[in-house]
DNA sequence: AGGTGGACCCGAACGC
DNA sequence: TGCGTTCGGGTCCACC
């Protein structure tokens, strides 16, 4: 599932391809994508717009246009953006939208589970929309151990659940939460407000290192995720715990266990995560 | 208010 | 083999 590193990889890939291009034609084939807004209305709004920037906030991809209009894309679990230089030929399975650019290339959006969303906002609507949903950027310069400490200290639930709450940190999902907690040697079930300062420091570092490793590997491909050029990421080969139940912990050799925390499948080392 | 659990989806994995 | 059932996961929302 695309989390921060996957969305950042997509952003980096698409930015040079989209910058300065005009959306010449937009087709939206699934009304769920823009619900409750009529897809024809969204397609009409986007047609003719010229791309000024491709940004990311948390797991959202942000396409900013010269007019000030913004397209906010969330891939949820199975959304995929693909770029094709000479235009896509046959329609791939689960195609939900196609954007034809003014240089003959196109961007297609596919989504098996249809959870992903495209939302068009005015320039003044974007910040309030994101601010209501997202906390601090974990890879941003402003994210300190103190920030993390403040956010965890207010919450009694299991630390993993708090990390998954996008209002705590923007962009951490099930995979990178498990990986960061392993790096920090913290049991995912621990109440967030009981973590000690050294543990919070370790978690701060663990989060940044896990996310940075994900970006360096172009994300993790388990099933669906691909870069816009169709390439798989490599981070799945670096997982320390995620999906590795029964395999020895690379730090202490104890078999990795699987449990359920905050309603999510959770992998951890029962010996070195305390 | 914070925490929890269901809904939304549908392919894959599982169970008999 | 084949078919029905369960699972999973990001976010929103209803309900404690």
């Amino acid at each position: 599932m695309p989390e921060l590193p996957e969305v950042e990889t997509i952003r980096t890939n698409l930015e040079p391809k989209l910058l300065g291009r005009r959306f010449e034609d937009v087709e939206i084939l699934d009304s769920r994508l823009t619900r409750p807004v009529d897809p024809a209305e969204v397609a009409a709004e986007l047609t003719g717009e010229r791309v000024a920037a491709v940004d990311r906030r948390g797991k959202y991809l942000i396409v900013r246009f010269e007019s000030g209009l913004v397209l906010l894309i969330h891939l949820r679990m199975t959304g995929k953006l693909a770029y094709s230089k000479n235009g896509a030929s046959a329609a791939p399975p689960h195609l939900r939208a196609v954007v034809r650019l003014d240089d003959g290339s196109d961007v297609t959006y596919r989504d098996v589970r249809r959870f992903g969303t495209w939302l068009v906002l005015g320039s003044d609507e974007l910040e309030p929309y994101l601010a209501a949903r997202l906390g601090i950027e974990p890879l941003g310069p402003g994210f300190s151990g103190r920030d993390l400490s403040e956010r965890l200290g207010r919450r009694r639930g299991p630390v993993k659940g708090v990390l998954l709450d996008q209002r705590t940190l923007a962009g951490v999902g099930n995979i990178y939460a498990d990986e960061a907690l392993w790096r920090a040697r913290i049991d995912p079930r621990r109440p967030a407000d009981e973590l000690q300062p050294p543990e919070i420091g370790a978690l701060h570092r663990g989060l940044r290192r896990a996310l940075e490793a994900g970006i360096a590997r172009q994300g993790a491909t388990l099933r669906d995720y691909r870069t816009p050029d169709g390439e798989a990421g490599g981070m799945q080969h670096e997982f320390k715990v995620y999906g590795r139940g029964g395999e020895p912990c690379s730090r202490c050799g104890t078999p990795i266990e699987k449990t359920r925390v905050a309603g999510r499948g959770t992998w951890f080392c029962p010996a070195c995560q305390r």
Side-chain angles (χ1 to χ4, degrees), chain A residues 9 46 57 90 93 106 129 136 149 160 178 205 229 249-250 263:
Chain A
T9 301
L46 294 173
R57 182 82 167 82
D106 66 32
Y129 184 90
I136 199 164
S149 180
K160 172 164 174 179
D178 280 4
R205 289 190 298 279
D229 293 326
C249 171
S250 68

Side-chain angles (χ1 to χ4, degrees), chain A residues 2-274:
Chain A
E3 302 181 24
L4 187 157
E6 287 74 27
V7 180
E8 180 59 23
T9 301
I10 292 165
R11 190 206 70 75
T12 304
N13 183 292
L14 284 181
E15 184 177 45
K17 293 162 179 158
L18 294 189
L19 225 46
R21 298 273 63 79
R22 198 173 150 271
F23 277 26
E24 206 151 86
D25 186 60
V26 179
E27 256 184 295
I28 296 173
L29 302 107
D30 180 5
S31 64
R32 266 203 65 96
L33 188 60
T34 58
R35 198 165 76 175
V37 184
D38 184 342
E41 191 182 310
V42 172
E45 281 185 299
L46 294 173
T47 301
E49 292 289 328
R50 196 176 293 277
V51 178
V54 181
D55 296 332
R56 178 194 59 75
R57 182 82 167 82
K59 301 172 196 170
Y60 288 93
L61 191 68
I62 302 168
V63 182
R64 295 179 193 268
F65 299 102
E66 288 179 355
S67 68
L69 213 62
V70 171
L71 170 61
L72 194 59
I73 297 177
H74 199 302
L75 304 170
R76 286 300 214 284
M77 297 163 54
T78 53
K80 272 194 282 195
L81 289 162
Y83 178 81
S84 176
K85 195 152 184 55
N86 299 308
S89 42
H94 315 299
L95 185 67
R96 309 299 181 200
V98 182
V99 175
R100 193 159 51 83
L101 303 174
D102 62 352
D103 61 357
S105 65
D106 66 32
V107 175
T108 56
Y109 176 77
R110 298 167 60 188
D111 191 348
V112 175
R113 302 231 169 122
R114 305 167 70 207
F115 279 179
T117 52
W118 282 25
L119 177 64
V120 174
L121 293 174
S123 50
D124 53 337
E125 297 173 311
L126 180 66
E127 286 319 311
Y129 184 90
L130 294 177
R133 290 166 175 78
L134 302 179
I136 199 164
E137 278 294 317
L139 293 184
F143 176 51
S144 66
R146 183 174 305 173
D147 291 322
L148 185 60
S149 180
E150 276 171 20
R151 282 149 206 269
L152 296 181
R154 292 186 243 134
R155 305 285 297 271
R156 274 176 230 172
V159 58
K160 172 164 174 179
V162 178
L163 294 180
L164 291 178
D165 184 341
Q166 299 300 293
R167 290 166 303 184
T168 310
L169 295 175
V172 177
N174 203 37
I175 292 173
Y176 293 93
D178 280 4
E179 294 297 306
L181 287 162
W182 180 86
R183 283 165 198 257
R185 303 180 187 238
I186 294 169
D187 187 316
R189 300 164 294 192
R190 291 269 302 283
D193 62 357
E194 289 179 15
L195 296 184
Q196 299 304 304
E199 295 177 311
I200 290 169
L203 184 53
H204 180 253
R205 289 190 298 279
L207 281 162
R208 293 178 74 124
R209 285 178 188 165
L211 294 169
E212 280 163 2
I215 291 171
R217 298 280 172 173
Q218 307 251 89
T221 297
L222 294 177
R223 193 174 298 147
D224 297 288
Y225 164 77
R226 297 273 159 173
T227 74
D229 293 326
E231 288 171 27
M235 185 60 188
Q236 64 281 7
H237 303 305
E238 310 291 321
F239 286 166
K240 303 296 188 181
V241 284
Y242 186 85
R244 308 193 76 105
E247 295 179 37
C249 171
S250 68
R251 204 159 43 205
C252 74
T254 305
I256 300 301
E257 278 183 17
K258 182 181 184 188
T259 182
R260 210 162 178 83
V261 179
R264 296 283 175 273
T266 297
W267 288 268
F268 70 107
C269 173
C272 62
Q273 287 180 254
R274 291 306 188 170

